[in-house]
Amino acid sequence: MTLRAPPPLIGTAGVEVVADRRKVLLGGGLVLGFAFAAVKAHARSTDQRVNNAGAQPVSNKDVADVAGAGFVGFKPDAFIRISPQNQVTLIIPNVEMGQGIYTGECMLIAEELEVGLDQVAVVPAPPDEALYKQPLLQFQGTGGSTSIRGAWEPLRKAGAAARVMLIQAAAQGWGVNPAECHAERAQVLHLASGRFATYGQLVNAASRIPKPQQVALKDPSQFKLIGKPAPRIDTPAKVNGTAMYGIDIMVPGMKFAVVANCPVLGGTLAGVDDSAAKAIPGVLQTVRLPNAVAVIGEHFWAAKQGLDACRISWNPGANAKLGSPALWADMARVAQAGPGAVAVQQGDVAGAYKGAKKQVEAVYRQPFLCHAPMEPQAAVVHVTGGGAEIWAGTQVPSRAQAFAAKVLGVAPEKVIIHNQLIGGGFGRKLETDYIEQACAIAKQCPYPVKMVWTREEDMQHDNYRPMYLDRISAGLDADGRPVSWSHRVAGASVTARYAPPGMKPNGVDPDAVEDAAEPVYGVFPNMLVDFVQWHPPAGVVVSWWRGVGPTHNIFVVESFVDELAHAVGKDPVAYRRDLLRNVPRARAVLDRAAQAAGWGSPLPARTGRGVIVQKCFGSYIAAVVEAAVSDEGDVTLRKITTAVDCGLTVNPTLVRQQLEGGILFGLTAALWQGITLKDGRVEQSNFNDYRMLRINETPPIDVIHMSTANPPGGIGETGTTAAAPALTNAIFAATGVRIRELPIDRALLKKGAKPQGAAVLAPLGVAAAAALAQGLAAKAAEGEP
């Protein structure tokens, strides 16, 4: 079967999807920890199109035919496999969940290996901490905008070493100097004699060449792929429906499980009467867990109807009367109870504050947030004698394998993980609770079981982004610059729960203070940043969310810097430029974004522009949001302008896509999203009350990519971190209402309202902004920083 993508998507190449895995595996050359439905990409005539979606893991069968001593092919490292048929397969260490990492990491290897993207097949890495540990995370996982940063050198070195070995193999066979040969399009050429050999023809000889310990990498001026826009290799399969997500998996004999978890967080199952469920055609059995009930059916609808027919009683436990107001009150109490764990302490903060020309302080609150991925939690588990096979999308394959093994009571190597494309991760698939629950259900069933959470279960039993309470104050000198800076972060610690060794010895959670302890402006002369850990009630679980710590801290810092600018009567861009006088990369993106956004040009009534600048995940970004607020308090997004310096860039197209998606993700949360509790239950249940930004509400987004030679920075979460403060600063410019709590309360924005809990001030007039805009234009014309 040949898949074809429309011409605008992909260039001149084709793809063959081979239904029979044996045909691909025969002859060796491919050693994986799991089998796959092979996608075979290669150069074709110009009327055919490539579909490099990559192989999807489906089954482990047939792997034994080519593994071990019988394997014939070239496997120089953990990432590259070349068969005698010249099939190049790249094993990608990070997980694809919409961020384009299959494409980005393919480009890193292919650049140095000298193969085209149309010549490779792609498979995800199996669980293996030794081979696929993420260098920056120090475990096998995808998150924290670390993928390209961590893979930048290792994957290029892998490609370069393999290329050197193949060239040496060809040169030895021809009796020539390797320096006279070069590689191109999966073949080695000796131009002087006109000889050439495909990589496939060299696999045996190359396998006998010692792997070089040191290899020279290309200078960026030599790049053929890196730095160039390239279509995503996973797009065609996602468009034509052949891409496999965890929720799509079907295996022979599989049944379906639909789950009801205790609606009160932390509660347990008291009992269930499933007599009515058993009478529904297609219902097979009921599985009882300590805090949940699952009904198994021949198909999803039978299982869902059966679950709905069950009469379930719950033990709500200690959280029976728990509500959000009590949580906020408890957090406020903890935040004020005493000194926090110090992240940064420099100078005499109290003395400088007392002697400051002007003093400013504010309190900010941010709610629990749900991940709400398009693909709800799902996993297929088949428990067999002494082990299990699992099909699911996970950001942490090794962790998933280990935790599943613990539930099943077997050794980790007895659990086979077939990792899938993820239909939206945002940090949710860094957790393994859904895989553990699927295992607990499947171990009570004599057949493979696909467990699927409904949207309501997914939203009401998430592991939530922590709620935060921040108290921040600054003392300003006669020029308006901070001479004292104090920032207390209060919130639950994700690190303490998920990765306790990551906590600092004094109790600081590095994630909770990231970009608060080291803001883009640098360390102020007298500065204190501390962290107070709040412990949520048992059953209320917090986790990573897109943007992790910086999402929360950049909202606080950039909102507060805007308040400082207003307090001293300065334009927000001019004020930031002054604070960034020693941070040229940040000032450059700020100037570029402000100029492109038309900063200072006139706007209609109740319309404003808000600006932020940040350094997070190794990238510098400035964003300007232009928004209008109606007399009824409704917010209209008119335009978004961003400038980004993420250093050396693998694929500019992916940078643009990730910034666009991240910004919209963050704006959605700022405008509408917050998880609240009442009587121990999450009040939100679906997209009707956990709102998403709609297409007709999405503004034009201008992404200005400022290419530099700095090391690569992360990009997948940077748009999310920038969105909320840029929007709330724009709302202040439009209305004079300073938003200090998310999500935005429209009642505060109604014309003539007298808001409580938000600052109402007169925004700076446009005259200063217009003067700044003229100055920026003049400096740009003169080439000045």
Side-chain angles (χ1 to χ4, degrees):
M1 177 176 64
T2 299
L3 304 181
R4 302 176 187 271
L9 288 177
I10 303 291
T12 56
V15 65
E16 180 182 344
V17 176
V18 183
D20 185 351
R21 287 183 297 278
R22 287 182 181 270
K23 291 181 181 179
V24 180
L25 295 171
L26 287 177
L30 200 56
V31 170
L32 306 173
F34 48 90
F36 53 92
V39 178
K40 185 178 178 182
H42 49 81
R44 288 277 183 105
S45 59
T46 57
D47 62 342
Q48 293 178 310
R49 306 296 171 184
V50 73
N51 181 346
N52 293 339
Q56 296 303 314
V58 173
S59 171
N60 245 27
K61 291 174 181 163
D62 301 329
V63 171
D65 295 344
V66 295
F71 171 73
V72 177
F74 185 47
K75 51 171 185 175
D77 51 46
F79 310 109
I80 299 169
R81 302 289 183 266
I82 302 175
S83 76
Q85 293 76 32
N86 207 34
Q87 172 61 61
V88 180
T89 300
L90 305 182
I91 303 173
I92 300 303
N94 289 105
V95 178
E96 179 62 65
M97 48 189 172
Q99 81 279 38
I101 200 60
Y102 275 8
T103 305
E105 291 188 342
C106 263
M107 293 173 73
L108 292 178
I109 302 174
E111 178 69 66
E112 297 287 351
L113 185 58
E114 290 291 359
V115 298
L117 292 182
D118 59 330
Q119 295 180 292
V120 301
V122 178
V123 295
D128 193 320
E129 286 285 345
L131 294 179
Y132 302 110
K133 179 187 292 184
Q134 217 290 336
L136 299 182
L137 297 177
Q138 285 300 296
F139 63 88
Q140 187 183 4
T142 302
S145 296
T146 59
S147 296
I148 291 295
R149 289 186 288 162
W152 174 251
E153 283 200 2
L155 293 191
R156 290 165 62 218
K157 286 180 177 179
R163 183 191 75 239
V164 168
M165 296 165 73
L166 289 159
I167 289 175
Q168 286 182 348
Q172 286 181 6
W174 296 330
V176 301
N177 189 331
E180 298 175 9
C181 304
H182 76 279
E184 181 181 337
R185 297 282 300 168
Q187 56 186 352
V188 178
L189 300 91
H190 184 247
L191 296 181
S193 64
R195 286 176 289 188
F196 70 91
T198 68
Y199 284 177
Q201 293 170 325
L202 298 168
V203 294
N204 291 334
S207 297
R208 295 190 292 269
I209 302 291
K211 184 177 178 180
Q213 297 302 306
Q214 299 292 331
V215 289
L217 298 176
K218 290 183 181 180
D219 183 83
S221 63
Q222 300 173 303
F223 288 159
K224 300 174 183 177
L225 294 174
I226 294 175
K228 311 295 193 299
R232 285 175 50 159
I233 62 177
D234 55 332
T235 296
K238 291 178 176 178
V239 171
N240 65 32
T242 59
M244 297 291 288
Y245 295 86
I247 202 169
D248 295 327
I249 291 296
M250 302 286 285
V251 300
M254 185 186 79
K255 312 303 179 184
F256 291 78
V258 180
V259 179
N261 294 283
C262 181
V264 177
L265 300 183
T268 58
L269 176 65
V272 56
D273 178 357
D274 61 352
S275 56
K278 292 177 180 178
I280 294 174
V283 170
L284 299 175
Q285 70 180 93
T286 302
V287 173
R288 294 161 175 81
L289 301 177
N291 64 340
V293 173
V295 172
I296 316 298
E298 291 285 359
H299 48 81
F300 176 87
W301 187 237
K304 177 69 168 62
Q305 286 183 304
L307 185 65
D308 291 344
C310 288
R311 298 177 61 186
I312 307 172
S313 57
W314 305 100
N315 292 316
N319 294 337
K321 299 299 181 183
L322 183 67
S324 290
L327 294 177
W328 281 119
D330 187 54
M331 182 176 286
R333 177 189 61 79
V334 170
Q336 298 176 13
V342 174
V344 174
Q345 187 167 22
Q346 178 171 299
D348 181 6
V349 175
Y353 185 77
K354 184 177 181 181
K357 184 75 172 178
K358 186 179 286 288
Q359 300 166 340
V360 183
E361 60 182 16
V363 176
Y364 298 91
R365 301 202 320 182
Q366 298 174 67
F368 286 130
L369 289 173
C370 176
H371 297 86
M374 186 59 67
E375 178 192 22
Q377 308 316 305
V380 175
V381 180
H382 187 197
V383 178
T384 56
E389 285 190 81
I390 300 173
W391 295 259
T394 174
Q395 293 174 242
V396 283
S398 293
R399 188 180 179 102
Q401 182 185 50
F403 278 82
K406 185 176 181 180
V407 172
L408 296 169
V410 300
E413 59 269 21
K414 298 295 184 180
V415 177
I416 300 167
I417 298 285
H418 306 294
N419 207 0
Q420 308 297 314
L421 293 173
I422 296 175
F426 316 127
R428 181 62 178 95
K429 296 289 173 80
L430 287 166
E431 301 291 349
T432 61
D433 56 318
Y434 60 102
I435 292 176
E436 295 173 59
Q437 188 177 70
C439 289
I441 294 168
K443 69 188 292 189
Q444 300 185 46
C445 300
Y447 32 67
V449 176
K450 177 192 281 191
M451 183 205 74
V452 178
W453 281 12
T454 63
R455 176 67 60 196
E456 289 77 12
E457 286 299 311
D458 192 28
M459 198 165 285
Q460 296 184 322
H461 294 88
D462 197 359
N463 295 341
Y464 302 102
R465 198 287 303 267
M467 49 192 279
Y468 289 103
L469 188 151
D470 290 70
R471 297 183 178 276
I472 188 167
S473 62
L476 308 178
D477 64 15
D479 295 322
R481 295 173 178 169
V483 293
S484 173
W485 182 278
S486 178
H487 183 179
R488 167 161 292 184
V489 178
S493 171
V494 180
T495 303
R497 181 191 70 81
Y498 190 93
M503 295 290 286
K504 297 294 185 183
N506 68 345
V508 169
D509 180 346
D511 171 69
V513 299
E514 188 174 356
D515 290 325
E518 296 181 3
V520 66
Y521 307 99
V523 177
F524 295 107
N526 302 282
M527 185 174 182
L528 172 65
V529 178
D530 61 1
F531 170 65
V532 175
Q533 184 177 350
W534 173 70
H535 296 276
V540 180
V541 183
V542 296
S543 187
W544 317 106
W545 190 84
R546 189 175 187 178
V548 289
T551 300
H552 136 252
N553 285 315
I554 288 172
F555 171 70
V556 174
V557 171
E558 283 302 294
S559 295
F560 190 61
V561 168
D562 227 59
E563 296 204 37
L564 298 184
H566 178 82
V568 296
K570 293 188 176 182
D571 173 83
V573 171
Y575 187 75
R576 286 173 169 83
R577 289 192 88 251
D578 179 60
L579 295 183
L580 295 169
R581 58 196 178 275
N582 297 319
V583 193
R585 290 179 71 186
R587 187 186 255 201
V589 294
L590 176 63
D591 287 352
R592 188 71 183 89
Q595 186 177 22
W599 189 268
S601 60
L603 290 169
R606 289 179 65 83
T607 301
R609 296 186 184 96
V611 65
I612 69 97
V613 62
Q614 64 181 37
K615 176 196 174 185
C616 60
F617 310 110
S619 295
Y620 289 82
I621 291 178
V624 177
V625 170
E626 185 177 305
V629 182
S630 72
D631 291 349
E632 292 73 33
D634 293 317
V635 178
T636 299
L637 301 169
R638 289 164 52 98
K639 180 183 177 183
I640 300 168
T641 307
T642 65
V644 54
D645 170 5
C646 55
L648 287 166
T649 300
V650 176
N651 188 338
T653 300
L654 296 180
V655 171
R656 175 179 55 79
Q657 291 172 348
Q658 284 301 289
L659 273 174
E660 290 173 345
I663 287 168
L664 297 180
F665 192 88
L667 290 173
T668 299
L671 284 165
W672 294 296
Q673 293 180 347
I675 291 293
T676 56
L677 273 65
K678 183 178 181 181
D679 294 332
R681 304 172 183 231
V682 172
E683 295 187 281
Q684 295 70 31
S685 63
N686 211 313
F687 293 129
N688 63 308
D689 50 13
Y690 198 77
R691 178 93 142 71
M692 295 288 162
L693 191 72
R694 299 188 174 99
I695 290 177
N696 65 304
E697 298 166 330
T698 301
I701 302 176
D702 184 14
V703 176
I704 302 163
H705 186 196
M706 301 174 66
S707 181
T708 66
N710 294 291
I715 206 68
E717 297 167 282
T718 52
T720 300
T721 60
L727 173 60
T728 55
N729 290 343
I731 288 172
F732 172 75
T735 65
V737 177
R738 182 66 71 183
I739 302 297
R740 292 176 178 158
E741 182 171 0
L742 297 176
I744 296 163
D745 183 352
R746 279 153 190 71
L748 302 175
L749 305 181
K750 291 182 179 180
K751 191 172 183 178
K754 297 180 179 179
Q756 294 182 354
V760 184
L761 305 163
L764 187 70
V766 298
L772 173 69
Q774 292 176 359
L776 289 176
K779 288 180 181 295
E782 297 170 5
E784 293 184 18

